[in-house]
Each structure stands twice: as structure tokens, then as C-alpha cells.
Amino acid sequence: MPYSEAFKNDISQPKYDTQNQVYFTVFKLLEEANELLKEGAIDGGADLIYQGRANQWRKLANSLMARYYTRLNKVNTFEAGFEIDVTGGLKKIFGNPADYPMFESNEDDAQLMYTGSQPYVHPFYSNRYLDNREDFAVSKNLVDLLQIKDANDNISFIDKRLYVYAKPTPQSMDEEENIPVEYVGQINGATAPPALATISRIGNIFRDQPAGKSFWMTYSELQFIKAEAALNGITDVGGSPQFFIEEGITSSFMKQFSEASAYQAPIVPVNGHEIKTVAEDAAEVIARLDYSKEGGIIRVIMEQKYISIFSNGIEGYAELRRTGWPAIDVVEGGRKWPGKGLPNRFPYPISESRTNSANYNKAVNDLNIEQGNLIYGGKMWFTNNTDINYKN
């Protein structure tokens, strides 16, 4: 992608840097931010995230550093002149908390709260109530992780975060239909649209709040990053994978239900699966973790991480491609790409092919991307050694 030469007034056709080179620069910038924010001051009136608290920004910079080192832990990162020591980097930041402070609780989460007045309303709210779109649903993959069914298709267990992330299907909330409360996810990339009354929409705190929040990075996500680091032998994190998995689940429950309470969001349980205390509901999920199933501990980490970062779709997409987990339904590819499976990448903007064609064409050829089909072809660099796990 264009990076080192981008946004320079005297360069109209910037060269494309390799992904290794871009990440190398990102780490340099985060290191600089960590140093500058030690003594730096931020105008609280201009800071919509942390209201001028520089140390909170410093925690975010270092938590992001952990995220991005982890992003690269499955590929060769030693391009000449742009070497990235992933293991060494993780050891450095986790082993020196005084020099590299990170998130310590949900209170440190990086999140943008919209004002609730036009044009500063939550994008999901805008999509539903201003654009009048009623066809965006919760994914079947997510619902299947949260709502466990037995061989007879009867619900055996529900992770109660489902009640925050999703709404019951419209037909089950229609008294005339006389259907019990149900949560049903939409198949990703389906070749035909569903009957809208049969599919669950995104939960109240994400879709129905003009002054809602966009979550950039959370304390619970950092716990799953630590869990993976511990699994990979980085003892500097100071705990076992299981310890951080449990902490990540507990903090995720606390986060989601505190947000639901703050926004007075309706919680509608399935019959026979009532809400308990947050601690009890989190403990039930922890008690059911199965480290012996196919994929082992990394699968459990990534399933729970995927659940915890709900609404941060770009991050979920990146982590699914990086690790192959959680297992997902085969992506049908809609009408345009039947049988292609999960896309490998976002496409380059059409404008690049017109205004920066020489560099664009070289990148497309080098990455083995199919012309006219820019979301398939070569994988992203950090996903090169991973295959997606599809459900049987």
C-alpha cells in the first residue's frame, strides 16, 4: 500500500510499501508515542477519547503495540532493513510495565462516544434510523458461538452476552405469531436474502443509540493477547493462558452488561435461560471451556477474543484470517463470488487503478490478485501461513 510517499505534495503517484515495511514504521511511531506521552500534555477539550489524560493514551499506544506484535507472530518479519523482532518486542513491553504501561481495567478502554446530535450520531444508528436500513443482522457464526444446541437442535446453553449483542427475531416478539423468544443469526455471504422477520438484528446498545460508542480497543482484548503470548512461551506476561482467558471473559461480561445498564437496553432472555449476576453468568461460560477440542487452547482463545471484540469488525476479520479460528460456516460468496469462501482482503480503491496505475498494477501482480476480483487472490502477508477452519 502507499505509505512512505503518501500525502507528499510533490509525489502524485506514491510507491507501494510492503506490509512488513508499514508495520515496521507503525512500531517506530508507537515507540515514539510512548516516549512523548510520558511528559506530554493533551488539550482535554479536543480529546474525545480520554479528555486530555496523556497517560491513558500512552496505555493505548502500548496495548496497540501488543496487538500488532501478535498480528505478526505467524510470519517471517525480517525483511532486510525492516526487521521486526516479534518475540523480543512482546517480551520487552510485557516485561517492563513501568516503561510500557498498558490497559489495567475496563476503565482504560479506548472508545469514542458520539454526541447523539447530527451529524455526530453512531454510524449503526444512522444506518438504521436515518438511512432506513433494516436488513443488517447478527452473524450466524456469532450466534452459534453464544447459543449452543444439542444434536436435536435444542438449546443446551446460552452465553448471556447474546442478549446484549443481538435482539430476538421480530417474529418472536410479535404476539400474534405466538413464537417463543428466539435468536437467529444470518448466514454470511448468503446467495439469497432471508425473510427479515426470522433474523436477529444487532443489539440495542450498538444500533439504537444515537449517542452510542465505537470500541477501538478494550482491556478484555488485551487479556486474550496476553493469553496467546503465554501460550507461545512468553512468561513476561505473568500468568498462564487459562488465567488470562478467564480474566478476558469476566471483563467482557462486566463491560457489556455495564454498557447495557447505562443505556437502559432491554435484555430479553430465552425461556429457561434467565439472567443471573454478571459474575455467575461469566463463571458459567468459564466452566464450559473445552481445551481438549480440535484446535486446543488457541482455538478457545480466539473464540473468546472474537466474542469479546464484537462490533470491531475489522479486528475480528483480521484475527480470523491470522489464526483460522473461530471455525465458521462456509462463506457462500453471494451471487457474485459463489464458492470462493472468505475474502482474503479488502479491495484497493478503484481510483488507484486510474490515478496510480503503474504502482497499482505492480502490487496486484506481485500479490497474485485476480483482476476484477480484488478481494481474492493472494493473502494478506500476516495470514500467509494460515487456512480458515470451516465447520463440517
Side-chain angles (χ1 to χ4, degrees), residues 207-284:
R207 193 182 75 148
D208 296 339
Q209 303 294 338
K213 297 177 181 177
S214 290
F215 303 102
W216 295 359
M217 187 171 185
T218 62
Y219 171 74
S220 60
E221 180 191 342
L222 181 61
Q223 301 317 293
F224 296 114
I225 291 170
K226 288 183 175 182
E228 187 174 350
L231 180 64
N232 290 334
I234 298 175
T235 58
D236 305 78
V237 295
S240 67
Q242 291 85 349
F243 171 83
F244 291 114
I245 291 169
E246 293 179 13
E247 176 66 11
I249 292 171
T250 301
S251 58
S252 174
F253 265 87
M254 293 175 63
K255 174 75 174 181
Q256 298 306 327
F257 280 93
S258 67
E259 294 291 341
S261 176
Y263 283 106
Q264 299 181 333
I267 300 294
V268 185
V270 170
N271 294 344
H273 296 271
E274 307 303 321
I275 294 283
K276 301 177 182 177
T277 68
V278 172
E280 288 173 326
D281 286 332
E284 285 187 350

Side-chain angles (χ1 to χ4, degrees), residues 12-219:
S12 60
Q13 296 182 318
K15 69 176 183 180
Y16 279 45
D17 298 293
T18 68
Q19 293 167 65
N20 194 145
Q21 292 167 4
V22 173
Y23 273 97
F24 178 85
T25 306
V26 166
F27 288 120
K28 285 183 62 178
L29 292 172
L30 290 172
E31 286 279 4
E32 291 174 11
N34 179 52
E35 288 300 315
L36 292 171
L37 290 166
K38 282 182 181 179
E39 306 295 337
I42 296 175
D43 178 3
D47 181 0
L48 300 179
I49 309 300
Y50 289 126
Q51 294 73 52
R53 291 169 289 163
N55 191 53
Q56 295 298 105
W57 280 104
R58 190 178 179 210
K59 288 181 179 181
L60 173 59
N62 295 320
S63 297
L64 286 172
M65 210 181 306
R67 175 195 277 179
Y68 295 136
Y69 274 128
T70 302
R71 178 69 45 77
L72 307 182
N73 68 5
K74 296 182 180 297
V75 291
N76 182 349
T77 58
F78 290 94
E79 180 180 336
F82 300 92
E83 295 86 356
I84 302 170
D85 183 357
V86 169
T87 299
L90 287 170
K91 286 178 174 290
K92 174 185 67 179
I93 61 176
F94 284 131
N96 298 281
D99 294 330
Y100 294 92
M102 296 187 210
F103 291 168
E104 299 174 85
S105 73
N106 288 343
E107 300 301 314
D108 293 328
D109 288 356
Q111 55 194 23
L112 173 64
M113 184 173 182
Y114 294 84
T115 66
S117 300
Q118 278 280 63
Y120 307 112
V121 298
H122 194 284
F124 291 176
Y125 176 90
S126 177
N127 177 267
R128 169 64 187 94
Y129 293 101
L130 302 181
D131 298 337
N132 293 314
R133 293 294 298 270
E134 174 62 344
D135 53 349
F136 284 94
V138 176
S139 167
K140 179 178 180 294
N141 291 309
L142 178 71
V143 173
D144 287 351
L145 284 172
L146 296 169
Q147 181 174 257
I148 311 304
K149 294 186 176 181
D150 60 25
N152 297 317
D153 204 36
N154 295 316
I155 298 172
S156 59
F157 179 76
I158 293 180
D159 180 325
K160 305 308 191 310
R161 286 174 290 184
L162 176 64
Y163 303 150
V164 179
Y165 292 165
K167 293 182 176 183
T169 63
Q171 68 178 7
S172 71
M173 299 302 288
D174 186 340
E175 293 182 0
E176 295 183 1
E177 294 289 344
N178 196 28
I179 295 173
V181 171
E182 63 176 0
Y183 290 82
V184 180
Q186 166 64 5
I187 297 172
N188 293 90
T191 54
L196 295 180
T198 67
I199 299 296
S200 294
R201 306 305 196 273
I202 301 168
N204 177 284
I205 69 170
F206 303 99
R207 193 182 75 148
D208 296 339
Q209 303 294 338
K213 297 177 181 177
S214 290
F215 303 102
W216 295 359
M217 187 171 185
T218 62
Y219 171 74

Side-chain angles (χ1 to χ4, degrees), residues 350-363:
I350 294 174
S351 59
E352 274 296 289
S353 66
R354 297 170 178 168
T355 62
N356 195 10
S357 58
N359 290 312
Y360 164 85
N361 287 328
K362 182 179 186 304

